[in-house]
Structures are given as C-alpha cells and as structure tokens.
Amino acid sequence: MGHSTDEVPEVKGMDIRSTSSSRRNSQNAPYIHKVGVPPKQNLIKEIKNTVKETFFADDPLRSFKDQSKSRKFILGIQAIFPILEWARHYNLTKFRGDLLSGLTIASLCIPQDIGYAKLAYLKPQYGLYSSFVPPLVYACMGSSRDIAIGPVAVVSLLLGSLLQAEIDPDKNPAEYLRLAFTATFFAGVTQATLGILRLGFLIDFLSHAAIVGFMGGAAITISLQQLKGFLGIKTFTKKTDIISVMRSVWGSVHHGWNWQTLVIGASFLSFLLFAKYIGKKNKKFFWVPAIAPLISVVLSTFFVYITRADKDGVQIVKHIDKGINPSSASQIYFTGDYLLKGFKIGVVAGMIALTEAVAIGRTFAAMKDYQLDGNKEMVALGAMNIVGSMTSCYVATGSFSRSAVNYMAGCQTAVSNIVMSCVVFLTLEFITPLFKYTPNAILASIIISAVIGLIDYDAALLIWKIDKFDFVACMGAFFGVVFSSVEIGLLIAVSISFAKILLQVTRPRTAILGRLPRTSVYRNIQQYPEATKIPGLLITRVDSAIYFSNSNYVKERILRWLTDEEERLKEANLPRVQFLIVEMSPVTDIDTSGIHALEELHRSLQKRDVILVLANPGQVVIDKLHASKFTDVVGEDNIFLTVGDAVLTLSPKLVEEV
C-alpha cells in the first residue's frame, strides 16, 4: 500500500522495488491513496444487519416507523389483509374493469376446472370448488392485482401423479380424496411458512431454464394424457411417460378408438386453436380465446344431447354434484401412515405452485409498474390452500393463461377474482346438471389447447444462445418429464440447478489482466486482445468470493497462471515475473479457508522469488485480512487501491515505456 513520501518500503533483492521506492520518495511522485480499513463494528449490530439483509431486505416495517400504536395496529391488519387498504379507494370505474375481466376469466375457468380435476384423478366438482373458495381468500390477502387463482394443469398433473403412486383412485376413491385434501393442507402450510419465515428466496433455486424445460415437458405429458378422452379410449395406462402412453394408444387403435369422439375432439380443438390464433393476432380480440372453451362446451353438450351420441360410445362427464363446497376438515389425515405421505406430496406440490404463482405475479406487476411483496404472496397462497383443504378444494395457484386474459380484459384489482368466484358459485348452485352430457373429448381439447402455450420454443432457443449449461438444465428437465415422470423431471430440474450453483461456487472464473492502450485501465486480455501485459508483472483477477468451497481451486489456478506465464517468458527470453498482482474488486467476501489459501499462495510465491500484491480488496475482505494479520504477512505496502496504483508504484519506468 502506498505511504507518505518519507516512508521507504524494504524488499530485499528487488531492484525494481528499490526503483519504485526511490520514485515514490521523489517530489514528482503521484499520490497513492491507501486502502481504507473500516471501523470495527459491534458484533450484535453486525449480526443484526446480516439478518436484516438476509430476511428483511425489502424493509417491510418501514411504514411502521414513527407511527402511533393505533396506527401501527391498523397498518398491521392491512399488511395481512391488503384489501382493507385498497378497498378505501375503490370506485365504480375500477369495478367495471374488474366485472368484465371477472366474467371473462370465469368463462375460461369453468370448463378448464372440470378438465383439470380429471388430471388429478378427482371428480369434476372438485375443480370447480377450487375456483370458488381460494380466489375469495386470495382477494383478501394477496397483493397482486392481476393474478387469477384456481387449479392449473401442471400442478393437477403433478398432484395426480404423486397421489396415485400411493393410493389407487379407482379402488379406494375415499382414501384418495382424503390424501388429496391432506396434501393440499400441507402445501398451504409449506407456502405460508416460507412467507412467514421470509424464506421466499428458496424458490429461486429452481432456475428459469429448468422451469422452461419442466413446463414444456409437462405440457407434452398433459397433452398425451388427454388422448384417452380425445380418442374415446376406455382402458388407458396410469403411467405418464411417452413410451407407455403411446403403447397404450396404439394398442387400442383397432378396438378402442371411437370415431365419433375423435371427430368431436378434432373439430373443437381446431376451433379452439383458431380462436387462440385470432386473439394472438389482434389483442383487441383477447376475449375470443377466453370464451371459446365455454362456447365449445355448450355446443358439444347440446350436440351430444340431441343426437344421444353417448349411446354410440361417446364418453360424457355424467354427474357433477350440485351445491357449494362441503366441509372437508375432518377428512384431512393428521395421524396414521398417510400423514407423512400427504406431507411429502404437499411440500412438492406447494413449492411448484408457489414458483408458478410468484413468477406470474412478478411478470404482471412489472408490466403495470407496481411492487409485489413475494413473502406476502406466499402467506396469501398458503392461507388460501389451508382454507381450501378444509372446504373440499385441492391445490390452487395462479394460472398464467387466465391471468393473461385477466390482464388484457382490463382488471384493476383482485375483485376480478371475487367476480369469477361468484360466477363459479352460481354454476355450482344452478348449472352443474347441464354438464351431464358434456363429452370428455371437449374437455381433452380444452386442456390440450391450454397447455400448448406452456411449450416456449423461443425461450428454449434464447437459452441455447445465451448459456449452453442452462440449455442442458432445460433439456434435462424436459426429457425427464416426457420419458420418465413428472417427479423425475422435477428432480432433474432441481438437481441441475443446484449443480450449476455448485459449479459456479467451486470453480469461479479467473482472468489475466492487461492494460488497454493509451489508458490506465486494466481488463481481461481474452475480452480485450489489444490489452498488453506489463513486463515483470502478472496481473490476475478472481471473479468470486473466496470460500472454503473454492479457496484451494483459486490458489492453484493462480499458480497455474504464473507457471504458464513463466514458461512463456522463458521461451521468449523475456524478464521473469517479479510481482503477482491479484485484483480483488469482484471478491465480495472471504472466509478463514480463503485467507489460509492466500497464506499458502504467499509462501509458494516466496519460494519462486515473486512478491504477492493485492489490489482493491473490499470492505469486508480488508477487514478480515486485518483481523487475521494477513496484511502484516503480505505487507501493508503491497496492498493498493487500484491495479493502476500498484503498477505505477511497482514498475513506473516499465509503464512509461510500454
């Protein structure tokens, strides 16, 4: 580190250092600023700040400062129930937008809910139940204005796949239903707990690339599952992998397919896809794909009723229980063998549902430029699923297709969810008997048209262009779901995401720096080939914090850089390296293992007659280096504020000549 001009550093056997010292003692020497050492912090205060930044980075209690006790109580209630805050400013103009959007998403959700319940191997009414109670709870507790709540395809498939692995829904329907409610309860508990403990960052461990692959694979799997209803096959495999499904499909081609069912399914699927095309082509016609599923249900049901096509083998929905949700609190397993199974399934389903809902909420919040509190969202989603599990609902979350329609229909607040819930209530009370003749083929067509949008080709291509490792994660999750099962695909997605994190932590990037021509700026010579090395110096940079997991690699990588450079210089008959400068600007933190690695690096360099120099260590790093006395080992004079200062001090003559 540079000192005042009357201080002369002593480095034996280093003529260039002597030259540097002499220059620093000259009156014309430039001012070299010292690296600042932060004042010692109180341990309790330091722990408090760390906890705050980890769990309360958004400073959720900011609005409570300098408020009276009564005002704090009101703010606390509003924090739990945001509806109490925004309802005060609600007006007729906002209600018009919410009414239109609520009616629009209701027309979309009713046929979808019936189909999604079948994905979870539940009776149709449970899909409708899940779009009645949960949206009401979310409207009171959620902070997103645009998200539309209800069952979704991916979670329904995941839940059905995990539940049927434990209980056969055909042989033991009562136990299966109880396990579904138990899983929903623990999904809600998991979501609420993550929000209350402010552990929402855990869902970020599932990378965007893995989610793209998982969703795409799930869309293919869901579509394949719909071939049973689309083709009118009565005996169908319970497995979800593509090989088993296609074997089951082609095995029934001569005696299991029903041509009337196929005609109905293909006709209305074409209609639904055409409606989606119109809505995508012209945003003004967003309502066309939104009401198309309901129109399809009405027309197909009427057609089957007047032709009695059900007598010719066209499978129909048959009976849907009339009335609102019955209580199911007594059916949840709180003891016995199924308690742990329900907990495991609930945690997995809850995490996936949470990931989808938060991603959707953040997307639309960014589009409308308002803040979304992720932890509040988790508490709201958890509360609605806990209440839902006690009112005959299964896991509900935010639906991207419905939320997109909700947004385009002009929703203003969560009242659109309340409107949708009211429509579902009326449907349950008065209209469900009319669904008796609805063909299963139309439900299959609705689901296929809905999940096709989950296959994001553009995102996959972009991932390939940007990061090949991310693309491996994307494809790993995709093929895991398609060729094995949803659980395996999810496991692969999580595993590859963690593998990437571990790889980046244990193998951080390092670089050799050179000086850009006609500047005092030092950059990576691979990024800037015109950057020149300084004779007698090797400048390296570590682009990561130095922890126990990577400290040994960092030390060995720097030594390899030095060995390679020495061999190159020897072959070219150039002066040897006398100083090794480590640029530490990107090193945000260092632990005891990292400091130990630096000490070993220092000893290794001493044996090679090379001096270790540090440039620009940050506040946390320099504080720990001083606490460990490493600054005494390496020497205060060998710690500089910038690489430019280090080069200027160590070899001013060479700098001028290059």
Side-chain angles (χ1 to χ4, degrees), residues 546-564:
I546 305 176
Y547 291 130
F548 65 93
S549 58
N550 63 23
S551 58
N552 194 53
Y553 170 79
V554 169
K555 178 197 71 174
E556 291 179 351
R557 189 68 189 92
I558 291 174
L559 288 174
R560 285 207 309 276
W561 282 128
L562 179 60
T563 301
D564 293 343

Side-chain angles (χ1 to χ4, degrees), residues 48-68:
K48 184 179 177 182
N49 289 339
T50 302
V51 171
K52 181 180 178 181
E53 285 303 313
T54 303
F55 299 103
F56 304 96
D58 55 342
D59 196 9
L61 301 179
R62 179 190 295 272
S63 59
F64 289 79
K65 292 178 181 177
D66 304 322
Q67 300 290 341
S68 64

